[in-house]
Each structure stands twice: as structure tokens, then as C-alpha cells.
Amino acid sequence: MNPFRAWVGRAWSHSRLIFCAMQSMAAANLERFYPSIIPIGQELRKEASVMLACSTDCQRETLLALLMIGATSSWFNPKDSGASLFLSFQSRLKRAILLNKVDINGAEGLFYMGSLVYWRMLLSYVHDHPRIVRDEIGISVRVPSQPSTLSFNNTPHPWAGVGFEIQKILCEVGLLIRTKRRKSKVPDDEPNPNLFDSQNSLLEAFELESRLLQTGCPAEDQVTNPGDHQTPVDHLLVFAEVYRLLGLLQIYRIFPTVLTSRLAADRSTWISSTRRIFNMVHHHAMTWGLQMNVPQDQFSPNFMAIWLTLFAYSIIEKLKALPIEAGTGAFQPFLLVACSGELRRPSVFTAGLKALIHSDGSLILMETGILRARQILLGRLQMLRDFLPPKPWDLCVSIVQEVWSRMDAISFPSILDKESDSGMDNMPLWLDVMIDHGYETLMG
């Protein structure tokens, strides 16, 4: 039921383009066992790239090859996002749709659009090109939120799973927070960012938060079972929920005003799924003896830091339930890296936290839990390196270790001295580490 695998499987024996693309991917995956195969894979990739550059068509084999060569660029060079190939795929797909070569709501069209959204989502966190992070197809896909009958629309996508709409929102989140962090790095002697732009960004953050809270996933019985015993439907639904939680985490981290507004809101007006999301944080807080029910005027920076840490911990707990060898394994690195930046270790000597705890033992419990979550996260990344092309995952591990190193060098009060709607600017962030060190790799 995987159209990607089926189409490639039928084409490779008669299409030199597909053959070279597929073999180059295999070579990249085998290089840690057979280093001598690296030049062969590079030569096959080069041949496929030349064939793509010399053609202008928008046939199925060309579109598939662009996905195969472009989305695996980081397998060969971890700092190559495949951006130019993404743009080529996007423009050729649009032409294929306009020429009626691809039905946008048919099996092939939905596969391509899901692939495009997933690829763009990853790119939006590592690339600034406006043509990449903005949707240039301009054609809507009919994906009902609650399908009444089983169809391809609710058959899991090989890359996007069942979280198509959520990943579309995550594209916009990536563009917003990356732009915000880049503006925050403007030197003090340069003109301050335009206040109007800052207010627009905050309004956009509020809108994206609302959309993420309102966008749900289909019920389990509404999703076609793909027949993969290692990746049942409930795993795919958990994965889609993790994407949604991650989007919220990034918004709340960069725009603390959005989080304080949400926490101060009347909970009786929340839909059940929103209430469930925020109850996760209180569940873990109670487990560690932390008191998180504080009045609105006590939403201090220390409180916000702990809340974000508990939220990130909740996401890791959900990911922990998904086996690393399952079909979702190859798509976890981005989620793991983005969560890593909120796993702060509290200090038992941090006076600013005394009002939030019942006893000093609560901080010890919390630190133990965070250290375990870190161990799980890093262990997953290292395990993925053992059965996926290793180059991008090495950078992922470097990002995670560096952001933790920066966190552990400071304490809660000092990292929250400066707070604004540009985010908690002095607090270490995974996105900053990635940008500062040039670790911008495609994590998927």
C-alpha cells in the first residue's frame, strides 16, 4: 500500500534514472559497513543529477527521482538540504497538475503533495529561501478532517503519515520562528526591528497556536491500516499528535506571550483535546511534587521555563512509546532535536524555584526525570545512526550535545533575565546552535 515503494519497484528495471537514484541511496546507507562503496554511490548520484538537469519533463519517473535524489542530499553531504531540487520538484509538480498529468486529489497527486509538505516542513527550519518556505503550488488538496468512507485520503502517507494538515502548519511555524531568531541576532548597534513587524509576528504566532489546537487527527477506525505490523495505525496517530505538540512547543518557546495568554484563559472554554494537552504538564508536575497551579500574576520566567521543560518531557514520553525499529523511526530525528532544547536540568540551589515546589526533593525527582529523558533522546539518535545513513545524524547528535552543554553552564534565573516577544533570548535554543555552528541539515 506504499505507492512510493510500488512505483519505484516497477520502474527501476527499465528506467536508468530511477535505477541510479535508488542505487545511490543504497550506497549511502551501506557506507558505514563498506566505505569503498562511497565513490560508487556518488557517481550514481551524479549521473542521476545530470539526467534531471538535462530534462524538463514532469513525468512520474522524473518526479520520483527528484524526491529520491533531493530529499537524500544530506545523506551524501550533511550540509546540503537539496533546496534546488526541491524547487525543481515543486515547479514540475505544479506544471504536471496544470497540464492534467496528475490529479491533485488522486492517489498520485496526494502522494506528491504529502511528500512536498513533509520536505518543505523540514526545510523551513534550516533554510531562508522564500520560494522554499512558502507554498508556491497554490492548489488546495481535498483532505477531509473526518472522512466518512475509507479512501486514499486517509491512507497513511509514506513520509507524512496521517498528519498532513499538521505538517502544513509546522511549515509556517518553522518560517516564523527561524525569522524571529535571525532578527534577534541583529547587533545592538544596528536599527531595532520594526515594531509593526514584531506585532505581526506575535499575531501570527497566536493564529498558528489556535490552528494547531483545533487541527485534530482522524479516529483510528477512519484510517486505512497499511498492513505494516511494525507500524500499526495507533503509532501513526501518536506520531501526528507529537508533530502537533512540537509545533506548540516551538511557538510557546519563542513567543512566551502566547503561552501566558493560554495559561491565563478560562479553561471551561477549551475543547477536550486542548484540555488534555495541558493536563499532561500538570500530571508530570504532580509526579515530581511541583505546584504548577499559580495565579496569573505569578507567571514568572522561572515558572515558564519549568512549564516548557515539562511540556518537552511529555513529548519525549509519547515518542518513547514508539519502537525505534518501527516505520516512524526514520522520521524521529527532527522531533528529537527540537525537543532537546527544552530539557533543562533544575538546580537544587535555585532559590527562584522554591515557591513552585513542596520540598527540595521535588527538584531532585525532576532532575532525575530530565536526565532519563535526555538519555532516551540521545540513545534514539545514536541508534538511528546505526541503521540510517550516518552523516546527518552525526550533526543531530552534535546539536543536542551542544545545546545541553550551554544549558548546564547556566541556571534558571540567569537564562531568563531578558524576556520579550522575541522569545527568552538568553536561553539556549536548538535553532541557535544549529545556525551558529552551520549544522543546518535535513533531519529526515
Side-chain angles (χ1 to χ4, degrees):
M1 295 181 66
N2 182 336
F4 183 49
R5 182 181 296 244
W7 294 330
V8 171
R10 287 195 294 267
W12 76 270
S13 61
H14 65 266
S15 169
R16 179 67 183 173
L17 177 59
I18 295 294
F19 175 85
C20 289
M22 184 180 71
Q23 293 286 65
S24 70
M25 292 168 65
N29 201 43
L30 292 170
E31 69 172 70
R32 62 187 176 278
F33 303 114
Y34 306 102
S36 60
I37 208 172
I38 296 176
I40 300 173
Q42 292 173 336
E43 190 61 34
L44 288 164
R45 177 179 173 79
K46 180 180 179 181
E47 183 179 346
S49 298
V50 169
M51 284 188 279
L52 287 171
C54 293
S55 75
T56 58
D57 70 80
C58 50
Q59 302 300 320
R60 174 187 289 178
E61 290 173 7
T62 302
L63 293 172
L64 290 175
L66 281 166
L67 287 174
M68 297 165 75
I69 292 294
T72 62
S73 296
S74 62
W75 295 11
F76 295 85
N77 176 0
K79 296 184 180 181
D80 182 0
S81 63
S84 61
L85 293 168
F86 172 87
L87 291 173
S88 178
F89 175 77
Q90 182 174 248
S91 62
R92 295 194 201 206
L93 175 57
K94 184 172 184 177
R95 191 162 74 249
I97 294 170
L98 294 175
L99 293 174
N100 293 321
K101 293 180 180 293
V102 171
D103 176 6
I104 190 66
N105 289 305
E108 191 171 4
L110 287 171
F111 167 73
Y112 291 144
M113 290 302 294
S115 302
L116 185 74
V117 167
Y118 174 77
W119 195 356
R120 180 187 287 117
M121 179 195 70
L122 295 179
L123 282 170
S124 68
Y125 290 83
V126 302
H127 213 285
D128 298 308
H129 196 304
R131 288 188 58 208
I132 289 174
V133 295
R134 293 295 188 190
D135 179 11
E136 290 211 340
I137 294 293
I139 302 172
S140 62
V141 182
R142 177 175 48 83
V143 183
S145 57
Q146 293 185 346
S148 57
T149 58
L150 294 179
S151 67
F152 189 87
N153 282 359
N154 50 307
T155 297
H157 187 278
W159 296 359
V162 295
F164 180 83
E165 293 297 331
I166 293 172
Q167 289 183 14
K168 285 174 65 177
I169 301 172
L170 276 178
C171 294
E172 299 177 57
V173 172
L175 171 61
L176 179 64
I177 69 170
R178 185 176 170 88
T179 301
K180 200 67 174 173
R181 292 311 288 185
R182 281 209 170 276
K183 288 182 178 179
S184 72
K185 294 178 180 294
V186 174
D188 292 337
D189 58 347
E190 293 188 17
N192 290 326
N194 187 287
L195 178 61
F196 182 74
D197 289 342
S198 180
Q199 291 174 336
N200 279 345
S201 295
L202 181 58
L203 289 174
E204 186 177 353
F206 272 110
E207 180 189 354
L208 290 171
E209 184 232 17
S210 177
R211 287 168 59 191
L212 282 169
L213 289 173
Q214 293 173 12
T215 302
C217 298
E220 185 172 348
D221 60 358
Q222 295 173 321
V223 178
T224 305
N225 192 322
D228 178 0
H229 69 279
Q230 289 188 314
T231 316
V233 169
D234 64 311
H235 285 188
L236 297 171
L237 295 173
V238 169
F239 209 65
E241 178 67 4
V242 167
Y243 274 122
R244 179 162 73 136
L245 296 176
L246 182 75
L248 291 169
L249 179 67
Q250 302 307 306
I251 291 172
Y252 294 150
R253 172 65 169 79
I254 304 299
F255 297 92
T257 300
V258 179
L259 177 56
T260 56
S261 297
R262 177 59 58 183
L263 293 174
D266 181 0
R267 297 198 173 200
S268 65
T269 64
W270 290 357
I271 59 176
S272 59
S273 59
T274 299
R275 195 174 296 110
R276 187 166 57 250
I277 288 172
F278 284 81
N279 283 344
M280 293 188 313
V281 172
H282 287 277
H283 169 75
H284 292 302
M286 290 176 61
T287 301
W288 291 335
L290 298 174
Q291 176 57 260
M292 304 300 287
N293 293 314
V294 300
Q296 180 180 353
D297 58 0
Q298 294 185 27
F299 287 160
S300 66
N302 288 320
F303 173 87
M304 301 290 283
I306 293 181
W307 196 96
L308 289 167
T309 297
L310 290 169
F311 196 44
Y313 179 86
S314 301
I315 299 174
I316 297 298
E317 285 289 288
K318 284 186 173 293
L319 275 175
K320 189 172 69 173
L322 303 177
I324 196 68
E325 66 276 5
T328 59
F331 307 99
Q332 293 187 21
F334 165 66
L335 302 170
L336 294 168
V337 172
C339 284
S340 70
E342 303 305 319
L343 295 178
R344 303 173 197 84
R345 293 174 58 185
S347 168
V348 293
F349 303 107
T350 305
L353 300 180
K354 298 299 185 184
L356 299 177
I357 61 176
H358 298 308
S359 68
D360 288 346
S362 300
L363 287 178
I364 297 174
L365 287 173
M366 182 179 181
E367 182 164 27
T368 301
I370 296 306
L371 289 174
R372 285 177 177 170
R374 285 188 181 187
Q375 185 179 34
I376 291 168
L377 190 153
L378 190 59
R380 290 219 160 196
L381 283 175
Q382 291 170 335
M383 287 173 65
L384 285 167
R385 189 191 184 281
D386 292 337
F387 66 86
L388 293 172
K391 288 187 174 71
W393 315 136
D394 287 340
L395 286 188
C396 289
V397 170
S398 296
I399 295 170
V400 168
Q401 291 177 328
E402 173 63 18
V403 76
W404 288 343
S405 177
R406 292 187 186 186
M407 281 181 178
D408 294 345
I410 52 183
S411 62
F412 269 117
S414 63
I415 63 179
L416 293 167
D417 287 341
K418 179 183 177 185
E419 180 182 346
S420 69
D421 282 328
S422 292
M424 301 173 186
D425 292 328
N426 291 345
M427 189 188 300
L429 180 69
W430 70 275
L431 202 63
D432 293 339
V433 171
M434 183 178 67
I435 295 171
D436 294 345
H437 290 272
Y439 290 158
E440 292 158 301
T441 189
L442 208 66
M443 304 178 198

